[in-house]
Amino acid sequence: MDQEKIIVLDFGGQYNQLIARRVRECGVYSEVLPCDTPAGDYADAALRGIILTGGPNSVDAQDALRCGMEIFQLGVPVLGICYGMQLMAAMLGGAVGQAEVPEFGFTDMTCRAHPLFEDVPGQSVVWMNHHDRVLALPKGFCGIASTAHCVHTAMADDARMLYGVQFHPEVNHTAHGARMLQNFVRNICKCTGSWRVADTEGALIAGIAAQVGPQGRVVAGLSGGVDSSVAAVLVHRALGERLTCIFVDHGLLRQDEARQVMDYYGGKLGLHIIMVDAKERFLSKLRGVIDPETKRKIIGAEFIRVFEEESAKVGADYLMQGTIYPDVIESGFGKAAVIKSHHNVGGLPENVRFKGLVEPLRMLFKDEVRALGEHMGIPHELVWRQPFPGPGLAIRIMGEVTEERLRMVRQSDAILRQEVARAGLEQDIWQYFTVFTGVQSVGVMGDERTYDYCIAVRAVTSTDAMTVEFAPLPYELMRTLSSRIISEVAGVNRVVYDITSKPPGTIEWE
């Protein structure tokens, strides 16, 4: 990953990692760093540009996040987005203040001819999310776009290659946002767009070998999902027999999950894998626990304890995890807020008795992991296997985890998977599952009153797990799901469909 790159400096906004994702879609490697990272840490021959992200602060607040002035003097293009534009304006002598009319959501924008807006209509819709705005441009800048309530919606200083936009081009809601970012990356930063995730295989394998050393041994925590599968194959190619895979049955798996996973790894991938039955261990720790963050932390800590015990048996000093970029982001990466602690990141205990963690996919998005898996020859059905969270069904049960609630989720989830497959929609829907809502309602079954539970069905489409839309399931499929779940899952008398996108929701309910 030492070829051309765009650095994204993180000021705490929730869309920040999407910026890196969009840059990579342009064929250029991009990495997100905390906003106060010294320029000397990334300003090398590979640097082609810098993007300053949005954030929740006002630039004149006492605790406002800032970057060093030197980034504007590196001789590479800099693009400020939302807060990033305001900060650039304030640091370079302009004025920023509260907008008379804040703008949130879809907004009509007018732009003039400029390289940043090449092939973008003069009138288009952008996504706004701001209270403050640039009131006066710094010396050398000119305005290149406006809205009804924001005169300086975009600005440019072509001589110094400095640019700013008040809106968010990284989100799909901005009609031509991807084109704008491509213009910045390819036309203004002069990137060739030759980066491909498949080209990273060799570097990732070399990095694993260098980290672990010639004698080190690794235990891999495998879940059966694509992330841990691709990570395990990379580590196996780097270390061979010095890798031992551990699959923990924590009692929170889907129906037939343990058998399927063991068949995949031992049979199709030829990895050395050990299954640990820890059902009672995990479930006992979760008894009486309701808070979702507490659940995640309990599960994360217990996973580590199991891996430590198993590693002692094989003499391993490193732990491999299938951590990917969205896991890191949502667990509070850089200056971003914690959305939810992933069991393999924010859920880890402070005391970890390993020399280090091996996380070869830590900087890749889900679709990039899949592309890498296909390139490496991992079986298609494993690469495209349904994503499943490490905490398992514990975070698909609202409230306390009990055997009875696990039964209802397992059975309803199995019905959902059967019917989606029967409808031929397995690769059209990115992720789908059921949720035990904990809500009871009145019903009538067999001419008798019932007061049973409601099961929610969640199905979404996505490419990167950072933004999702609910999947428009066919009516006949939804009717079949409702009928089968209510008829076949004891204790359930109502089925609802979740039509929430992300943001504002998350994929999982907890």
Side-chain angles (χ1 to χ4, degrees), residues 403-457:
E403 291 284 5
E404 180 67 3
R405 294 176 175 187
L406 282 166
R407 176 191 61 78
M408 283 187 262
V409 175
R410 279 200 187 99
Q411 291 178 352
S412 59
D413 179 81
I415 291 170
L416 173 62
R417 286 188 285 152
Q418 290 166 9
E419 292 301 330
V420 167
R422 188 170 296 157
L425 297 174
E426 288 173 294
Q427 283 194 218
D428 295 326
I429 308 173
W430 190 79
Q431 190 169 358
Y432 45 95
F433 54 89
T434 61
V435 178
F436 175 87
T437 66
V439 174
Q440 288 180 280
S441 65
V442 174
V444 55
M445 298 174 70
D447 296 327
E448 293 185 352
R449 179 186 185 275
T450 63
Y451 191 62
D452 286 334
Y453 287 103
C454 172
I455 289 289
V457 174

Side-chain angles (χ1 to χ4, degrees), residues 6 36 76 174 183 300 422:
I6 300 286
D36 53 3
V76 299
T174 295
N183 287 337
R422 188 170 296 157

Side-chain angles (χ1 to χ4, degrees), residues 65-362:
L65 298 174
R66 303 179 77 83
C67 58
M69 182 66 79
E70 69 273 12
I71 72 162
F72 304 117
Q73 301 159 355
L74 294 174
V76 299
V78 181
L79 172 65
I81 294 176
C82 195
Y83 177 85
M85 171 179 171
Q86 297 165 12
L87 181 64
M88 180 187 295
M91 292 180 69
L92 297 177
V96 177
Q98 191 167 27
E100 292 181 8
V101 180
E103 294 175 304
F104 297 96
F106 294 104
T107 307
D108 293 323
M109 181 189 76
T110 301
C111 65
R112 68 176 179 81
H114 186 273
L116 191 62
F117 298 131
E118 183 179 320
D119 293 328
V120 174
Q123 303 280 335
S124 65
V125 173
V126 297
W127 183 258
M128 288 286 202
N129 188 29
H130 70 105
H131 284 284
D132 295 343
R133 64 174 180 171
V134 174
L135 302 177
L137 298 175
K139 185 177 179 180
F141 282 83
C142 64
I144 57 173
S146 62
T147 68
H149 301 293
C150 185
V151 175
H152 304 306
T153 297
M155 64 183 191
D157 181 340
D158 293 312
R160 289 187 287 177
M161 298 185 291
L162 304 178
Y163 310 89
V165 294
Q166 182 57 63
F167 55 91
H168 288 271
E170 69 274 23
V171 300
N172 290 330
H173 305 309
T174 295
H176 301 279
R179 179 69 207 189
M180 297 172 196
L181 286 173
Q182 181 174 314
N183 287 337
F184 176 72
V185 171
R186 302 291 289 274
N187 299 344
I188 294 174
C189 296
K190 307 299 181 186
C191 292
T192 62
S194 59
W195 182 81
R196 299 290 182 272
V197 70
D199 299 332
T200 65
E201 179 187 356
L204 292 172
I205 290 172
I208 295 165
Q211 179 187 359
V212 175
Q215 304 299 324
R217 301 186 67 87
V218 175
V219 289
L222 298 188
S223 67
V226 60
D227 305 328
S228 60
S229 301
V230 173
V233 173
L234 283 169
V235 175
H236 186 255
R237 291 184 182 180
L239 305 179
E241 296 307 309
R242 289 188 285 140
L243 168 68
T244 300
C245 300
I246 307 293
F247 176 66
V248 179
D249 184 350
H250 50 14
L252 306 167
L253 300 173
R254 294 174 290 194
Q255 196 164 290
D256 296 326
E257 189 102 27
R259 178 187 57 78
Q260 293 170 1
V261 169
M262 294 301 289
D263 288 347
Y264 269 124
Y265 288 123
K268 297 189 178 182
L269 294 182
L271 300 176
H272 174 48
I273 181 166
I274 298 169
M275 186 172 80
V276 178
D277 186 345
K279 298 187 194 73
E280 179 54 35
R281 177 173 181 166
F282 277 80
L283 294 180
S284 65
K285 293 275 187 180
L286 291 169
R287 285 192 188 110
V289 177
I290 295 174
D291 178 66
E293 275 294 285
T294 304
K295 287 183 191 177
R296 287 176 175 273
K297 291 184 182 298
I298 287 172
I299 293 167
E302 207 58 28
F303 262 122
I304 290 294
R305 300 287 89 96
V306 172
F307 292 141
E308 286 174 341
E309 293 164 13
E310 295 302 316
S311 68
K313 299 175 185 176
V314 298
D317 38 15
Y318 288 88
L319 171 65
M320 185 219 85
Q321 297 192 128
T323 307
I324 63 173
Y325 221 178
D327 298 338
V328 177
I329 297 158
E330 293 187 338
S331 296
F333 175 84
K335 304 298 179 182
V338 174
I339 305 302
K340 54 187 178 184
S341 295
H342 287 260
H343 78 287
N344 54 341
V345 186
L348 291 177
E350 291 183 13
N351 257 344
V352 179
R353 296 192 296 273
F354 286 100
K355 186 182 292 186
L357 297 176
V358 177
E359 299 175 312
L361 307 178
R362 189 179 179 86

